[in-house]
Amino acid sequence: MDGANVAEMGAWRARNRIILQNRNQGMKRTMNQMNQDKNQNQKQNAFFGRKTGRSKHRTGTAGTVGRITKKGQPGSVWERMKALLHIRRHLSQTQFIVYGFFGIILTGTLLLMLPISNRGGDSLGFINCLFTATSATCVTGLIAADTWSQWSLFGQLVIITMIQIGGLGFITIGVFISIVLRRKIGLKERGLMQESVNTLQIGGVVRLAKKIIQGTAVIEGVGALLLAIRFVPEVGLLKGVYYGIFHSISAFCNAGFDLMGFREPYSSLTYYYDDWLVNLTIMSLIVIGGIGFVVWDDIARHGLKFRKYMLHTKIVLVTTGILLFGGAFLFFILERNNLLVGMNLSGKVWTSLFSSVTARTAGFNTTDTAALTDGSKLLTIILMFIGGSPGSTAGGIKTTTLVVLLLNIRANIGQTYGVNIGNRRLEDDAVRQASLIMITNLTLTLLASLWLVALQPDLLMSDVLFETFSAMGTVGMSTGITRALLPASRIALIVLMFCGRVGSLSSALAFTQSKKKPPVMQPVERITVG
């Protein structure tokens, strides 16, 4: 073999060695990646307590969280956190908010079951504590036991904390904490904030969160100070200040929880029916908390220049004014020969106004709700069903939903194109969503009413409807049947309160997945409607 052939053979062998080395390195990288994926799957499976086949680690028994190594040591917290973050990335914004509220309710339930939360040390039981925690977190006000008589100071603090979190939304509070800690707020967090407070656009939500927390602190602080002026002379300095803070938070968040049980259990604010300071302060807090955070921001930017307000703000303010004063006038007419008999003119005016305001998802009462006439009960049910405004602490189908539905009826009767108001045309999606919200809320409420009547046929239908509409609207007013309900009936109200706060559509969407539009749709066929 000559020198040229030897050189060519050496080069060929060198190329083959390089190719084999690259192939071996690629196979090693592939095997390493497969091992890493396998280890990651084993860690995730171990976090949920599932068997992982021929793994070097074995999981614990049912109910054990984390994995157990051969040495019996639990898996690291960091591994569990990574698994939770993996789950978080697969949750939609709606699902995260719904599950977040559910977690807060469960935490509050466990805290209320502690002996330290109860005055006598005896727990009310899981169902009653769950009912109270749901009512507080969903800012409703329906109670299984008198708040002052049953719960200790610790239990009351747990309740008022859940009210504050439920009223503002845990997303808003979380964003504000991130602002204070100067942490970066990503697009996902901004999207959650937008979904939580029902803003029209994602831009400026961080600034809005800061305004919400600061504005809430100022408004609740002023309300607490005004209420303390009345409570301090009655119960002393410390208790008076504490009662002022508690009732200010409860009123602003439209919760309806009170501590007036020291006078008489379940008496609410009946001892202050003609007190202008208590009535005006509580009503102002309810209205301010119920108009919505977006409306706050619009008023703060444009002052009292009504023409510069957004269409949303104009609808909310006008509708709120009509419902409040119109409702007060109707209450005055319907109760003039009943509850208003024997009151002076000032007491009649304050009672009528308060009855109209509190029905907008607040839950306080200055009169005996059970003694209302049938007409007043029906009026209260209508106001409870409508509720407050979007992005607020109030519940109900919301004022804008009512306006959109009425405008849609007018447009169809007048045979006009589109739903128009204020030289603007509303989106078709707004009309569709308003119809879905009303039908869903009404259907859930009527089904719950049938459930209660079937379980407890001795209850009056008017009282049952009042109770279920109060729960769905997160109002908290009751004719007194809450304490007589069976556990199964209370579970139905728990579901209504949860759906009423989170949103009936959001609650349903949390358990469904969005589907893409199919490439081929079914053929159309006409049916007769109406």
Side-chain angles (χ1 to χ4, degrees), residues 524-530:
V524 177
E525 183 174 350
R526 300 178 62 184
I527 62 172
T528 302
V529 178

Short mmCIF file of all heavy atoms in Angstrom, two decimals, residues 524-530:
data_model
loop_
_atom_site.label_atom_id
_atom_site.label_comp_id
_atom_site.label_asym_id
_atom_site.label_seq_id
_atom_site.Cartn_x
_atom_site.Cartn_y
_atom_site.Cartn_z
N VAL A 524 -78.67 24.35 9.94
CA VAL A 524 -79.63 25.20 10.66
C VAL A 524 -81.05 24.74 10.35
O VAL A 524 -81.38 24.40 9.21
CB VAL A 524 -79.45 26.68 10.27
CG1 VAL A 524 -80.50 27.54 10.96
CG2 VAL A 524 -78.05 27.15 10.62
N GLU A 525 -81.88 24.73 11.36
CA GLU A 525 -83.30 24.45 11.18
C GLU A 525 -84.10 25.38 12.07
O GLU A 525 -83.76 25.60 13.24
CB GLU A 525 -83.62 23.00 11.54
CG GLU A 525 -85.09 22.65 11.30
CD GLU A 525 -85.38 21.17 11.50
OE1 GLU A 525 -84.40 20.41 11.64
OE2 GLU A 525 -86.57 20.79 11.52
N ARG A 526 -85.15 25.96 11.56
CA ARG A 526 -85.96 26.93 12.27
C ARG A 526 -86.98 26.25 13.16
O ARG A 526 -87.50 25.18 12.84
CB ARG A 526 -86.67 27.86 11.28
CG ARG A 526 -85.72 28.65 10.40
CD ARG A 526 -86.48 29.51 9.42
NE ARG A 526 -87.30 30.50 10.12
CZ ARG A 526 -88.14 31.34 9.48
NH1 ARG A 526 -88.26 31.27 8.16
NH2 ARG A 526 -88.84 32.21 10.17
N ILE A 527 -87.25 26.88 14.33
CA ILE A 527 -88.30 26.43 15.22
C ILE A 527 -89.17 27.62 15.59
O ILE A 527 -88.78 28.78 15.38
CB ILE A 527 -87.73 25.79 16.51
CG1 ILE A 527 -86.92 26.82 17.31
CG2 ILE A 527 -86.89 24.56 16.19
CD1 ILE A 527 -86.49 26.33 18.67
N THR A 528 -90.32 27.35 16.14
CA THR A 528 -91.23 28.41 16.56
C THR A 528 -90.91 28.81 18.00
O THR A 528 -90.84 27.95 18.88
CB THR A 528 -92.69 27.95 16.47
OG1 THR A 528 -92.96 27.55 15.12
CG2 THR A 528 -93.64 29.07 16.87
N VAL A 529 -90.70 30.11 18.23
CA VAL A 529 -90.37 30.62 19.56
C VAL A 529 -91.41 31.66 19.95
O VAL A 529 -91.74 32.56 19.17
CB VAL A 529 -88.97 31.25 19.58
CG1 VAL A 529 -88.66 31.82 20.95
CG2 VAL A 529 -87.92 30.23 19.18
N GLY A 530 -91.94 31.54 21.18
CA GLY A 530 -92.89 32.53 21.69
C GLY A 530 -94.31 32.31 21.18
O GLY A 530 -94.62 31.42 20.43
#
